[in-house]
Amino acid sequence: MKTAVVTARLDPETLAGLDKLAEYHERSRAWLVAKAVKKYVKEETEFFAFLQEGEDAIASGEFLTHEELMAEIKGMRQRDAA
């Protein structure tokens, strides 16, 4: 597996925290940073895919207006109350 080196600037407080975590986990700074970046990229990629799904639904007309949604909720409440 090929990897790449990435440089980042960290403030002293963050670097100290990173060093404490590295010591606690008995891992290197690089290992922790790679793990954090991997998690961040995964979460952001999933979030943007979720947003794109909504944008695609809107583009294809698969959505409710605010008024339609409120009417649907009102109908649900009335059914529950009966």
Side-chain angles (χ1 to χ4, degrees), residues 6-60:
V6 176
T7 303
R9 296 186 189 278
L10 302 175
D11 61 81
E13 185 178 311
T14 302
L15 185 58
L18 180 63
D19 285 339
K20 284 181 184 178
L21 287 171
E23 185 178 335
Y24 175 80
H25 289 287
E26 298 180 349
R27 297 290 186 158
S28 67
R29 286 177 179 172
W31 185 87
L32 288 172
V33 170
K35 185 174 180 174
V37 170
K38 185 175 183 177
K39 180 179 178 182
Y40 175 77
V41 169
K42 179 182 183 292
E43 289 173 357
E44 287 295 298
T45 300
E46 289 172 353
F47 178 69
F48 282 109
F50 172 75
L51 291 179
Q52 187 61 55
E53 186 178 330
E55 292 290 331
D56 293 345
I58 290 169
S60 66

